[in-house]
Amino acid sequence: MNNNINIFYKNHSNIYKVLLFIATTFLIVFLFPKSGRFKYNFEKGKPWQTENLYAPFNFAIKKNKSEIDKEKELLKSQSIAYFNRNEKVKSSVFNAFEKSFSNVFSDSIPNYNILKEKSSQILDEFYEFGILSENIKLKPEKTVIILENNVEKETANFKNLFNQSEVKSTVENELKEVFTPKEINSIIALFFNVIKPNLTYNKTLTENVLNEALQSISVNRGMIEKETLIISKGEIVNDNKFQILNSLVNEYESKDWTKSNYYWIVFAYTLLVALALLMLLLFIRKYRIDVFNNNTKVTFIFFNIFVVVLLTTLVVSYKSEYVYIVPIAILPLVLKAFFDARLGLFAHVITVLLLGSIVPNSYEYMFLQIIAGIVTILTVSELYKRANLFISVGQITLIYIIAYFAFFVIHEASIENIHTQTFVLFILCGLATLFVQPLIYVYEKLFGLVSDVSLLELSDTNSKLLKELSNKAPGTFHHSLNVANLAEASANEINANAMLVRVGALYHDIGKMKNPTYFTENQSSGINSHDELSPKESAQIIINHVINGIEIAKKNNLPDRVIDFIRTHHGTSQVYYFYMKEKANNEGVNIEDFSYPGPKPFSKETAILMMCDSVEAASKSLKEPTSAKIDNFVENIINKQKDEGQFLNADITFKEIEAIKKVLKRKLANIYHLRIEYPE
């Protein structure tokens, strides 16, 4: 039982990675569509590249959206409007007219009978179909059906129906050639008193009938029988063939699959996703072993990949045309900010390959996103500078637009019907990519990581910890500033992370705050605190500044990447002065009592700090420095560290070490340059 526990404890990190790998694989597979996927790729206007294609089963040819829209517009233009007519209104209006006419006109006037007959004819004309109760705007040729008690009575055109506003103009036109203006005005006034609308627009029935007609539109325009030749090899995929092939794809992917088919599809997707994630893990293990050994960082990478797949799946499920609004470029941006460009690009490519299984036009999508990822890695640098991010996002958006334009022209052979709304999606995608700044801040808090933005904040010498260092150990603070300048220049020379190494240099000696007077740079009074201690005790105080620095850093929540500089800046070297002093009195001295606990530097940046720290500290002992003295001095110190194997764990080359030597020699020569003494 104890053996099993020990084995589990020793391998708990690898066990965690296996569980994380399995969990991420199944979560991504869960998001994928579980239908079959058509095995051929084709593009409109391009030749069919594979063998002759025969229909594998009977299927209907689907109409495209434009065909269905045309049918809908035709139905809407040919639809019928329904009106309810009150049959009692007409008789009551005519009765009122008979009574009112006798009261308004005297039967003694010459045209009494003609006027009455003509007025009755006009009234008959108004009520032949009816008068509308509201002002309805329909096309004059629109067919209308008039209902009485929900029974169809008459069919007419809308122009045959009258609005109340038309009464005056109609009466004037009918009577102006026969009767006087006074008589016409009297008739108009009479009509306005007796006429009542009898037609009401039945909007509900009209819309219901139209909706039924729209729903009855067939989405199919024909059938393809099984074993029918669909397209031959080399044949151009024209509009008709493209629609038939799309119909086959839709039918194939919406086909009802048996449980056995379903499980095979899930199994196949699991293999593909697992293979992609395994390649990512192997890449990290081979090229970024420090990241591989840190479970938090591996979790962070897998988490980001899953979030990108989740967002893309949700957008595709809602509306696949919006797939380009998902800011995929955030993934390489984030990974570059926390790790490096190579890891960011590799993870981005793996993610895009996974997304190829769920997005439409997968080749076009993958090409666009991989190109965008490459541009992101090449253009985005120094994220803490806001202008750089805006410029890079602009370049990424431009690349999206150019690549999409090229694909569209290849497909359509013209730019007449180019989808400008897709360009708007790219612009929105670019704006969403700017969200990377607050996202990096959130990730720093959630996962305890550090980015260049945080490093910029930590490099502020007015920060609480550095101000405390300058107050308690001013000599150490000044030494740290000098080391930071040397280290930054060296890092720039070999393309290392200059911001990281500068911050590491500023904080590498904060442990000296605990016993500042035991370090020569802080001894301003001329009294040496070591005079009262044995060499072994003195060495222990010197060595403990590393441990004290780690404790202070953790107490002040410094990131692990900065603490690594405190831990490694002396490697496993010895406090040589006190070792030799003890050895003079005791031949049996144990050198381990005078050695720093390590570890040795394990990155370019920590190796740079070790070199710069040793050179800057020892340079204080130079008397009457010359160029030759400085050159020999730098060579001796760094060669000694190299001979002791201090750089064996760091991924730094001999060529880079030589380049750093040159930088240090040049910088020290500038610092110790002797001025010409002018006569007084």
mmCIF file with all atom_site columns, all heavy atoms in Angstrom, residues 149-170:
data_model
loop_
_atom_site.group_PDB
_atom_site.id
_atom_site.type_symbol
_atom_site.label_atom_id
_atom_site.label_alt_id
_atom_site.label_comp_id
_atom_site.label_asym_id
_atom_site.label_entity_id
_atom_site.label_seq_id
_atom_site.pdbx_PDB_ins_code
_atom_site.Cartn_x
_atom_site.Cartn_y
_atom_site.Cartn_z
_atom_site.occupancy
_atom_site.B_iso_or_equiv
_atom_site.pdbx_formal_charge
_atom_site.auth_seq_id
_atom_site.auth_comp_id
_atom_site.auth_asym_id
_atom_site.auth_atom_id
_atom_site.pdbx_PDB_model_num
ATOM 1   N N   . ASN A 1 149 ? -70.557 37.805 -43.086 1.00 0.00 ? 149 ASN A N   1
ATOM 2   C CA  . ASN A 1 149 ? -70.791 36.734 -42.089 1.00 0.00 ? 149 ASN A CA  1
ATOM 3   C C   . ASN A 1 149 ? -69.860 35.541 -42.339 1.00 0.00 ? 149 ASN A C   1
ATOM 4   O O   . ASN A 1 149 ? -70.285 34.384 -42.323 1.00 0.00 ? 149 ASN A O   1
ATOM 5   C CB  . ASN A 1 149 ? -72.256 36.287 -42.115 1.00 0.00 ? 149 ASN A CB  1
ATOM 6   C CG  . ASN A 1 149 ? -73.193 37.399 -41.705 1.00 0.00 ? 149 ASN A CG  1
ATOM 7   O OD1 . ASN A 1 149 ? -72.877 38.180 -40.800 1.00 0.00 ? 149 ASN A OD1 1
ATOM 8   N ND2 . ASN A 1 149 ? -74.328 37.497 -42.384 1.00 0.00 ? 149 ASN A ND2 1
ATOM 9   N N   . ASN A 1 150 ? -68.581 35.885 -42.638 1.00 0.00 ? 150 ASN A N   1
ATOM 10  C CA  . ASN A 1 150 ? -67.522 34.890 -42.868 1.00 0.00 ? 150 ASN A CA  1
ATOM 11  C C   . ASN A 1 150 ? -67.770 34.028 -44.106 1.00 0.00 ? 150 ASN A C   1
ATOM 12  O O   . ASN A 1 150 ? -67.186 32.950 -44.247 1.00 0.00 ? 150 ASN A O   1
ATOM 13  C CB  . ASN A 1 150 ? -67.327 33.982 -41.649 1.00 0.00 ? 150 ASN A CB  1
ATOM 14  C CG  . ASN A 1 150 ? -66.803 34.756 -40.458 1.00 0.00 ? 150 ASN A CG  1
ATOM 15  O OD1 . ASN A 1 150 ? -66.012 35.687 -40.623 1.00 0.00 ? 150 ASN A OD1 1
ATOM 16  N ND2 . ASN A 1 150 ? -67.260 34.395 -39.267 1.00 0.00 ? 150 ASN A ND2 1
ATOM 17  N N   . VAL A 1 151 ? -68.648 34.484 -45.007 1.00 0.00 ? 151 VAL A N   1
ATOM 18  C CA  . VAL A 1 151 ? -68.927 33.772 -46.254 1.00 0.00 ? 151 VAL A CA  1
ATOM 19  C C   . VAL A 1 151 ? -68.446 34.641 -47.415 1.00 0.00 ? 151 VAL A C   1
ATOM 20  O O   . VAL A 1 151 ? -68.716 35.849 -47.447 1.00 0.00 ? 151 VAL A O   1
ATOM 21  C CB  . VAL A 1 151 ? -70.433 33.469 -46.401 1.00 0.00 ? 151 VAL A CB  1
ATOM 22  C CG1 . VAL A 1 151 ? -70.717 32.797 -47.744 1.00 0.00 ? 151 VAL A CG1 1
ATOM 23  C CG2 . VAL A 1 151 ? -70.909 32.596 -45.251 1.00 0.00 ? 151 VAL A CG2 1
ATOM 24  N N   . GLU A 1 152 ? -67.720 34.027 -48.347 1.00 0.00 ? 152 GLU A N   1
ATOM 25  C CA  . GLU A 1 152 ? -67.187 34.773 -49.482 1.00 0.00 ? 152 GLU A CA  1
ATOM 26  C C   . GLU A 1 152 ? -68.334 35.212 -50.386 1.00 0.00 ? 152 GLU A C   1
ATOM 27  O O   . GLU A 1 152 ? -69.145 34.402 -50.835 1.00 0.00 ? 152 GLU A O   1
ATOM 28  C CB  . GLU A 1 152 ? -66.212 33.890 -50.255 1.00 0.00 ? 152 GLU A CB  1
ATOM 29  C CG  . GLU A 1 152 ? -65.546 34.607 -51.422 1.00 0.00 ? 152 GLU A CG  1
ATOM 30  C CD  . GLU A 1 152 ? -64.549 33.722 -52.156 1.00 0.00 ? 152 GLU A CD  1
ATOM 31  O OE1 . GLU A 1 152 ? -63.927 32.846 -51.508 1.00 0.00 ? 152 GLU A OE1 1
ATOM 32  O OE2 . GLU A 1 152 ? -64.410 33.887 -53.382 1.00 0.00 ? 152 GLU A OE2 1
ATOM 33  N N   . LYS A 1 153 ? -68.382 36.533 -50.643 1.00 0.00 ? 153 LYS A N   1
ATOM 34  C CA  . LYS A 1 153 ? -69.452 37.089 -51.459 1.00 0.00 ? 153 LYS A CA  1
ATOM 35  C C   . LYS A 1 153 ? -68.959 37.563 -52.832 1.00 0.00 ? 153 LYS A C   1
ATOM 36  O O   . LYS A 1 153 ? -69.580 37.290 -53.852 1.00 0.00 ? 153 LYS A O   1
ATOM 37  C CB  . LYS A 1 153 ? -70.108 38.274 -50.726 1.00 0.00 ? 153 LYS A CB  1
ATOM 38  C CG  . LYS A 1 153 ? -70.985 37.857 -49.562 1.00 0.00 ? 153 LYS A CG  1
ATOM 39  C CD  . LYS A 1 153 ? -72.203 37.068 -50.045 1.00 0.00 ? 153 LYS A CD  1
ATOM 40  C CE  . LYS A 1 153 ? -73.143 36.736 -48.888 1.00 0.00 ? 153 LYS A CE  1
ATOM 41  N NZ  . LYS A 1 153 ? -74.309 35.947 -49.370 1.00 0.00 ? 153 LYS A NZ  1
ATOM 42  N N   . GLU A 1 154 ? -67.881 38.305 -52.819 1.00 0.00 ? 154 GLU A N   1
ATOM 43  C CA  . GLU A 1 154 ? -67.425 38.890 -54.080 1.00 0.00 ? 154 GLU A CA  1
ATOM 44  C C   . GLU A 1 154 ? -65.905 38.915 -54.128 1.00 0.00 ? 154 GLU A C   1
ATOM 45  O O   . GLU A 1 154 ? -65.231 38.927 -53.099 1.00 0.00 ? 154 GLU A O   1
ATOM 46  C CB  . GLU A 1 154 ? -67.945 40.323 -54.241 1.00 0.00 ? 154 GLU A CB  1
ATOM 47  C CG  . GLU A 1 154 ? -69.452 40.404 -54.447 1.00 0.00 ? 154 GLU A CG  1
ATOM 48  C CD  . GLU A 1 154 ? -69.927 41.843 -54.567 1.00 0.00 ? 154 GLU A CD  1
ATOM 49  O OE1 . GLU A 1 154 ? -70.081 42.498 -53.533 1.00 0.00 ? 154 GLU A OE1 1
ATOM 50  O OE2 . GLU A 1 154 ? -70.116 42.280 -55.715 1.00 0.00 ? 154 GLU A OE2 1
ATOM 51  N N   . THR A 1 155 ? -65.400 38.967 -55.362 1.00 0.00 ? 155 THR A N   1
ATOM 52  C CA  . THR A 1 155 ? -63.960 39.126 -55.596 1.00 0.00 ? 155 THR A CA  1
ATOM 53  C C   . THR A 1 155 ? -63.764 40.348 -56.478 1.00 0.00 ? 155 THR A C   1
ATOM 54  O O   . THR A 1 155 ? -64.500 40.548 -57.454 1.00 0.00 ? 155 THR A O   1
ATOM 55  C CB  . THR A 1 155 ? -63.381 37.890 -56.291 1.00 0.00 ? 155 THR A CB  1
ATOM 56  O OG1 . THR A 1 155 ? -63.614 36.742 -55.484 1.00 0.00 ? 155 THR A OG1 1
ATOM 57  C CG2 . THR A 1 155 ? -61.873 38.049 -56.501 1.00 0.00 ? 155 THR A CG2 1
ATOM 58  N N   . ALA A 1 156 ? -62.786 41.165 -56.124 1.00 0.00 ? 156 ALA A N   1
ATOM 59  C CA  . ALA A 1 156 ? -62.549 42.398 -56.882 1.00 0.00 ? 156 ALA A CA  1
ATOM 60  C C   . ALA A 1 156 ? -61.080 42.771 -56.779 1.00 0.00 ? 156 ALA A C   1
ATOM 61  O O   . ALA A 1 156 ? -60.298 42.103 -56.093 1.00 0.00 ? 156 ALA A O   1
ATOM 62  C CB  . ALA A 1 156 ? -63.434 43.519 -56.344 1.00 0.00 ? 156 ALA A CB  1
ATOM 63  N N   . ASN A 1 157 ? -60.728 43.849 -57.491 1.00 0.00 ? 157 ASN A N   1
ATOM 64  C CA  . ASN A 1 157 ? -59.410 44.437 -57.304 1.00 0.00 ? 157 ASN A CA  1
ATOM 65  C C   . ASN A 1 157 ? -59.498 45.538 -56.262 1.00 0.00 ? 157 ASN A C   1
ATOM 66  O O   . ASN A 1 157 ? -60.555 46.162 -56.085 1.00 0.00 ? 157 ASN A O   1
ATOM 67  C CB  . ASN A 1 157 ? -58.875 45.014 -58.620 1.00 0.00 ? 157 ASN A CB  1
ATOM 68  C CG  . ASN A 1 157 ? -58.524 43.926 -59.620 1.00 0.00 ? 157 ASN A CG  1
ATOM 69  O OD1 . ASN A 1 157 ? -58.158 42.819 -59.232 1.00 0.00 ? 157 ASN A OD1 1
ATOM 70  N ND2 . ASN A 1 157 ? -58.645 44.231 -60.899 1.00 0.00 ? 157 ASN A ND2 1
ATOM 71  N N   . PHE A 1 158 ? -58.386 45.812 -55.602 1.00 0.00 ? 158 PHE A N   1
ATOM 72  C CA  . PHE A 1 158 ? -58.408 46.806 -54.523 1.00 0.00 ? 158 PHE A CA  1
ATOM 73  C C   . PHE A 1 158 ? -58.826 48.179 -55.042 1.00 0.00 ? 158 PHE A C   1
ATOM 74  O O   . PHE A 1 158 ? -59.449 48.964 -54.311 1.00 0.00 ? 158 PHE A O   1
ATOM 75  C CB  . PHE A 1 158 ? -57.025 46.879 -53.861 1.00 0.00 ? 158 PHE A CB  1
ATOM 76  C CG  . PHE A 1 158 ? -56.958 47.852 -52.727 1.00 0.00 ? 158 PHE A CG  1
ATOM 77  C CD1 . PHE A 1 158 ? -57.594 47.580 -51.525 1.00 0.00 ? 158 PHE A CD1 1
ATOM 78  C CD2 . PHE A 1 158 ? -56.277 49.053 -52.862 1.00 0.00 ? 158 PHE A CD2 1
ATOM 79  C CE1 . PHE A 1 158 ? -57.547 48.480 -50.477 1.00 0.00 ? 158 PHE A CE1 1
ATOM 80  C CE2 . PHE A 1 158 ? -56.223 49.954 -51.816 1.00 0.00 ? 158 PHE A CE2 1
ATOM 81  C CZ  . PHE A 1 158 ? -56.858 49.670 -50.616 1.00 0.00 ? 158 PHE A CZ  1
ATOM 82  N N   . LYS A 1 159 ? -58.548 48.466 -56.331 1.00 0.00 ? 159 LYS A N   1
ATOM 83  C CA  . LYS A 1 159 ? -58.887 49.781 -56.884 1.00 0.00 ? 159 LYS A CA  1
ATOM 84  C C   . LYS A 1 159 ? -60.403 49.993 -56.969 1.00 0.00 ? 159 LYS A C   1
ATOM 85  O O   . LYS A 1 159 ? -60.865 51.130 -57.112 1.00 0.00 ? 159 LYS A O   1
ATOM 86  C CB  . LYS A 1 159 ? -58.251 49.956 -58.262 1.00 0.00 ? 159 LYS A CB  1
ATOM 87  C CG  . LYS A 1 159 ? -58.748 48.971 -59.305 1.00 0.00 ? 159 LYS A CG  1
ATOM 88  C CD  . LYS A 1 159 ? -58.015 49.153 -60.623 1.00 0.00 ? 159 LYS A CD  1
ATOM 89  C CE  . LYS A 1 159 ? -58.494 48.135 -61.663 1.00 0.00 ? 159 LYS A CE  1
ATOM 90  N NZ  . LYS A 1 159 ? -57.754 48.281 -62.952 1.00 0.00 ? 159 LYS A NZ  1
ATOM 91  N N   . ASN A 1 160 ? -61.195 48.894 -56.892 1.00 0.00 ? 160 ASN A N   1
ATOM 92  C CA  . ASN A 1 160 ? -62.656 49.009 -56.944 1.00 0.00 ? 160 ASN A CA  1
ATOM 93  C C   . ASN A 1 160 ? -63.255 49.423 -55.606 1.00 0.00 ? 160 ASN A C   1
ATOM 94  O O   . ASN A 1 160 ? -64.448 49.760 -55.535 1.00 0.00 ? 160 ASN A O   1
ATOM 95  C CB  . ASN A 1 160 ? -63.285 47.687 -57.379 1.00 0.00 ? 160 ASN A CB  1
ATOM 96  C CG  . ASN A 1 160 ? -62.838 47.260 -58.771 1.00 0.00 ? 160 ASN A CG  1
ATOM 97  O OD1 . ASN A 1 160 ? -62.388 46.142 -58.970 1.00 0.00 ? 160 ASN A OD1 1
ATOM 98  N ND2 . ASN A 1 160 ? -62.954 48.166 -59.739 1.00 0.00 ? 160 ASN A ND2 1
ATOM 99  N N   . LEU A 1 161 ? -62.463 49.375 -54.546 1.00 0.00 ? 161 LEU A N   1
ATOM 100 C CA  . LEU A 1 161 ? -62.946 49.776 -53.222 1.00 0.00 ? 161 LEU A CA  1
ATOM 101 C C   . LEU A 1 161 ? -62.697 51.262 -53.028 1.00 0.00 ? 161 LEU A C   1
ATOM 102 O O   . LEU A 1 161 ? -61.745 51.821 -53.573 1.00 0.00 ? 161 LEU A O   1
ATOM 103 C CB  . LEU A 1 161 ? -62.239 48.974 -52.126 1.00 0.00 ? 161 LEU A CB  1
ATOM 104 C CG  . LEU A 1 161 ? -62.198 47.454 -52.296 1.00 0.00 ? 161 LEU A CG  1
ATOM 105 C CD1 . LEU A 1 161 ? -61.554 46.813 -51.076 1.00 0.00 ? 161 LEU A CD1 1
ATOM 106 C CD2 . LEU A 1 161 ? -63.593 46.883 -52.529 1.00 0.00 ? 161 LEU A CD2 1
ATOM 107 N N   . PHE A 1 162 ? -63.571 51.894 -52.275 1.00 0.00 ? 162 PHE A N   1
ATOM 108 C CA  . PHE A 1 162 ? -63.471 53.336 -52.073 1.00 0.00 ? 162 PHE A CA  1
ATOM 109 C C   . PHE A 1 162 ? -63.027 53.662 -50.660 1.00 0.00 ? 162 PHE A C   1
ATOM 110 O O   . PHE A 1 162 ? -63.461 53.018 -49.691 1.00 0.00 ? 162 PHE A O   1
ATOM 111 C CB  . PHE A 1 162 ? -64.832 54.015 -52.349 1.00 0.00 ? 162 PHE A CB  1
ATOM 112 C CG  . PHE A 1 162 ? -65.166 54.130 -53.799 1.00 0.00 ? 162 PHE A CG  1
ATOM 113 C CD1 . PHE A 1 162 ? -65.882 53.133 -54.454 1.00 0.00 ? 162 PHE A CD1 1
ATOM 114 C CD2 . PHE A 1 162 ? -64.751 55.244 -54.534 1.00 0.00 ? 162 PHE A CD2 1
ATOM 115 C CE1 . PHE A 1 162 ? -66.188 53.236 -55.794 1.00 0.00 ? 162 PHE A CE1 1
ATOM 116 C CE2 . PHE A 1 162 ? -65.060 55.342 -55.877 1.00 0.00 ? 162 PHE A CE2 1
ATOM 117 C CZ  . PHE A 1 162 ? -65.777 54.338 -56.512 1.00 0.00 ? 162 PHE A CZ  1
ATOM 118 N N   . ASN A 1 163 ? -62.197 54.707 -50.586 1.00 0.00 ? 163 ASN A N   1
ATOM 119 C CA  . ASN A 1 163 ? -61.892 55.317 -49.293 1.00 0.00 ? 163 ASN A CA  1
ATOM 120 C C   . ASN A 1 163 ? -62.830 56.491 -49.096 1.00 0.00 ? 163 ASN A C   1
ATOM 121 O O   . ASN A 1 163 ? -63.307 57.100 -50.062 1.00 0.00 ? 163 ASN A O   1
ATOM 122 C CB  . ASN A 1 163 ? -60.438 55.824 -49.255 1.00 0.00 ? 163 ASN A CB  1
ATOM 123 C CG  . ASN A 1 163 ? -59.454 54.686 -49.013 1.00 0.00 ? 163 ASN A CG  1
ATOM 124 O OD1 . ASN A 1 163 ? -59.639 53.884 -48.107 1.00 0.00 ? 163 ASN A OD1 1
ATOM 125 N ND2 . ASN A 1 163 ? -58.413 54.617 -49.849 1.00 0.00 ? 163 ASN A ND2 1
ATOM 126 N N   . GLN A 1 164 ? -63.114 56.848 -47.855 1.00 0.00 ? 164 GLN A N   1
ATOM 127 C CA  . GLN A 1 164 ? -64.021 57.971 -47.587 1.00 0.00 ? 164 GLN A CA  1
ATOM 128 C C   . GLN A 1 164 ? -63.454 59.276 -48.158 1.00 0.00 ? 164 GLN A C   1
ATOM 129 O O   . GLN A 1 164 ? -64.204 60.182 -48.523 1.00 0.00 ? 164 GLN A O   1
ATOM 130 C CB  . GLN A 1 164 ? -64.246 58.119 -46.083 1.00 0.00 ? 164 GLN A CB  1
ATOM 131 C CG  . GLN A 1 164 ? -64.987 56.914 -45.488 1.00 0.00 ? 164 GLN A CG  1
ATOM 132 C CD  . GLN A 1 164 ? -65.285 57.089 -44.009 1.00 0.00 ? 164 GLN A CD  1
ATOM 133 O OE1 . GLN A 1 164 ? -66.130 57.902 -43.643 1.00 0.00 ? 164 GLN A OE1 1
ATOM 134 N NE2 . GLN A 1 164 ? -64.585 56.328 -43.174 1.00 0.00 ? 164 GLN A NE2 1
ATOM 135 N N   . SER A 1 165 ? -62.126 59.342 -48.252 1.00 0.00 ? 165 SER A N   1
ATOM 136 C CA  . SER A 1 165 ? -61.500 60.561 -48.775 1.00 0.00 ? 165 SER A CA  1
ATOM 137 C C   . SER A 1 165 ? -61.759 60.750 -50.269 1.00 0.00 ? 165 SER A C   1
ATOM 138 O O   . SER A 1 165 ? -61.547 61.840 -50.810 1.00 0.00 ? 165 SER A O   1
ATOM 139 C CB  . SER A 1 165 ? -59.997 60.518 -48.512 1.00 0.00 ? 165 SER A CB  1
ATOM 140 O OG  . SER A 1 165 ? -59.422 59.378 -49.139 1.00 0.00 ? 165 SER A OG  1
ATOM 141 N N   . GLU A 1 166 ? -62.214 59.680 -50.943 1.00 0.00 ? 166 GLU A N   1
ATOM 142 C CA  . GLU A 1 166 ? -62.449 59.756 -52.386 1.00 0.00 ? 166 GLU A CA  1
ATOM 143 C C   . GLU A 1 166 ? -63.868 60.212 -52.733 1.00 0.00 ? 166 GLU A C   1
ATOM 144 O O   . GLU A 1 166 ? -64.197 60.407 -53.907 1.00 0.00 ? 166 GLU A O   1
ATOM 145 C CB  . GLU A 1 166 ? -62.199 58.391 -53.036 1.00 0.00 ? 166 GLU A CB  1
ATOM 146 C CG  . GLU A 1 166 ? -60.759 57.907 -52.916 1.00 0.00 ? 166 GLU A CG  1
ATOM 147 C CD  . GLU A 1 166 ? -60.573 56.490 -53.441 1.00 0.00 ? 166 GLU A CD  1
ATOM 148 O OE1 . GLU A 1 166 ? -61.495 55.662 -53.290 1.00 0.00 ? 166 GLU A OE1 1
ATOM 149 O OE2 . GLU A 1 166 ? -59.499 56.228 -53.996 1.00 0.00 ? 166 GLU A OE2 1
ATOM 150 N N   . VAL A 1 167 ? -64.744 60.381 -51.734 1.00 0.00 ? 167 VAL A N   1
ATOM 151 C CA  . VAL A 1 167 ? -66.159 60.707 -51.988 1.00 0.00 ? 167 VAL A CA  1
ATOM 152 C C   . VAL A 1 167 ? -66.293 62.046 -52.702 1.00 0.00 ? 167 VAL A C   1
ATOM 153 O O   . VAL A 1 167 ? -66.964 62.175 -53.740 1.00 0.00 ? 167 VAL A O   1
ATOM 154 C CB  . VAL A 1 167 ? -66.951 60.714 -50.658 1.00 0.00 ? 167 VAL A CB  1
ATOM 155 C CG1 . VAL A 1 167 ? -68.356 61.304 -50.880 1.00 0.00 ? 167 VAL A CG1 1
ATOM 156 C CG2 . VAL A 1 167 ? -67.046 59.311 -50.096 1.00 0.00 ? 167 VAL A CG2 1
ATOM 157 N N   . LYS A 1 168 ? -65.625 63.061 -52.183 1.00 0.00 ? 168 LYS A N   1
ATOM 158 C CA  . LYS A 1 168 ? -65.762 64.408 -52.747 1.00 0.00 ? 168 LYS A CA  1
ATOM 159 C C   . LYS A 1 168 ? -65.302 64.459 -54.201 1.00 0.00 ? 168 LYS A C   1
ATOM 160 O O   . LYS A 1 168 ? -66.008 64.966 -55.080 1.00 0.00 ? 168 LYS A O   1
ATOM 161 C CB  . LYS A 1 168 ? -64.957 65.386 -51.898 1.00 0.00 ? 168 LYS A CB  1
ATOM 162 C CG  . LYS A 1 168 ? -65.066 66.820 -52.400 1.00 0.00 ? 168 LYS A CG  1
ATOM 163 C CD  . LYS A 1 168 ? -64.261 67.769 -51.522 1.00 0.00 ? 168 LYS A CD  1
ATOM 164 C CE  . LYS A 1 168 ? -64.350 69.199 -52.070 1.00 0.00 ? 168 LYS A CE  1
ATOM 165 N NZ  . LYS A 1 168 ? -63.558 70.143 -51.269 1.00 0.00 ? 168 LYS A NZ  1
ATOM 166 N N   . SER A 1 169 ? -64.103 63.940 -54.476 1.00 0.00 ? 169 SER A N   1
ATOM 167 C CA  . SER A 1 169 ? -63.559 64.012 -55.831 1.00 0.00 ? 169 SER A CA  1
ATOM 168 C C   . SER A 1 169 ? -64.411 63.209 -56.811 1.00 0.00 ? 169 SER A C   1
ATOM 169 O O   . SER A 1 169 ? -64.616 63.631 -57.969 1.00 0.00 ? 169 SER A O   1
ATOM 170 C CB  . SER A 1 169 ? -62.117 63.509 -55.846 1.00 0.00 ? 169 SER A CB  1
ATOM 171 O OG  . SER A 1 169 ? -62.052 62.167 -55.392 1.00 0.00 ? 169 SER A OG  1
ATOM 172 N N   . THR A 1 170 ? -64.940 62.069 -56.376 1.00 0.00 ? 170 THR A N   1
ATOM 173 C CA  . THR A 1 170 ? -65.773 61.242 -57.260 1.00 0.00 ? 170 THR A CA  1
ATOM 174 C C   . THR A 1 170 ? -67.068 61.961 -57.622 1.00 0.00 ? 170 THR A C   1
ATOM 175 O O   . THR A 1 170 ? -67.495 61.973 -58.797 1.00 0.00 ? 170 THR A O   1
ATOM 176 C CB  . THR A 1 170 ? -66.081 59.899 -56.592 1.00 0.00 ? 170 THR A CB  1
ATOM 177 O OG1 . THR A 1 170 ? -64.860 59.244 -56.238 1.00 0.00 ? 170 THR A OG1 1
ATOM 178 C CG2 . THR A 1 170 ? -66.870 58.989 -57.526 1.00 0.00 ? 170 THR A CG2 1
#
